Amino acid sequence: QLQIRVIQLTYSFLQLDKNAGEYDSKYTLDYLKHKINVGINHRIYKNINMNWNFIWQDRAGDYTDFYTTQKVAYSPFFLTDVRLQWNNNKVTVFADANNLFDKKYADFGGLIQSGRWVKTGIRVRI
């Protein structure tokens, strides 16, 4: 039976009143302006749980495109991360899928981030 265990909402906002003028700032003016994260944890069946994280980010500033050498403003983006896990008192087995929908986006410094990636693991408590 599907049972929601936790719903979490976080929001961060930063406003900076500073003008770069003619300078190109790699750190000071390229800050994370808005970030919203909605997390949901629910039980699927007995010891099997699912975590969902829905993340929206909007970064201030711009970056120089490596190929065109043109300045490009950061675009807001939306990501979905999930974790499926089974656990008992001693062992947890999990599988994560980050950037589930394979969103292409540039984050700090204009670096294109990796697409979807999956990892699995086992944690044993001794």
Side-chain angles (χ1 to χ4, degrees), residues 102-126:
D102 201 25
K103 172 70 178 167
K104 303 295 182 214
Y105 66 99
D107 202 3
F108 186 72
L111 297 173
I112 303 300
Q113 300 300 301
S114 60
R116 177 185 319 109
W117 57 283
V118 176
K119 69 178 178 178
T120 61
I122 298 173
R123 183 178 6 200
V124 178
R125 292 181 196 94
I126 300 175

Side-chain angles (χ1 to χ4, degrees), residues 50-61:
M50 186 78 150
N51 294 314
W52 297 84
N53 277 309
F54 304 99
I55 304 152
W56 181 79
Q57 286 187 196
D58 185 14
R59 183 174 291 285

